[in-house]
Amino acid sequence: MTNEIHAHNVLNLLRDQPLSEQELRDQVATQFGPDAAFRTCKMNGFDLDALLAFFIEREKIVAIDGKWALNQARVCSH
């Protein structure tokens, strides 16, 4: 069984400051490993590319001045 990292852990990296896509990817690789798998509250089996696409589609992250920022209004709070 794969130990998947919850998506909130990735979103929390953007809580304090916006990051470029590469900065976010670098931090994720450093903290969770380059081959980490992710899950959300309802789905699992995401790689980082799929998770970032999910965040963008659901407007959980937004681009501001070339950096991604957390859209707190779109993040569940549990």
Side-chain angles (χ1 to χ4, degrees):
M1 178 177 212
T2 304
N3 185 18
E4 293 181 320
I5 288 94
H6 198 285
H8 287 173
N9 292 328
V10 177
L11 291 173
N12 285 340
L13 297 174
L14 296 169
R15 193 168 298 281
D16 292 330
Q17 66 178 352
L19 299 170
S20 71
E21 179 178 350
Q22 190 58 54
E23 290 169 333
L24 180 59
R25 286 179 178 279
D26 291 346
Q27 283 199 21
V28 168
T30 298
Q31 289 194 26
F32 309 119
D35 299 318
F38 303 92
R39 65 180 175 82
T40 66
C41 300
K42 296 180 181 178
M43 298 185 289
N44 60 18
F46 290 92
D47 64 10
L48 184 56
D49 289 333
L51 184 65
L52 295 178
F54 173 84
F55 288 162
I56 292 166
E57 178 184 321
R58 298 277 164 72
E59 298 178 345
K60 293 180 182 291
I61 60 176
V62 294
I64 299 173
D65 296 328
K67 299 222 176 199
W68 285 349
L70 182 65
N71 182 4
Q72 186 64 45
R74 300 284 296 174
V75 177
C76 56
S77 61
H78 58 88

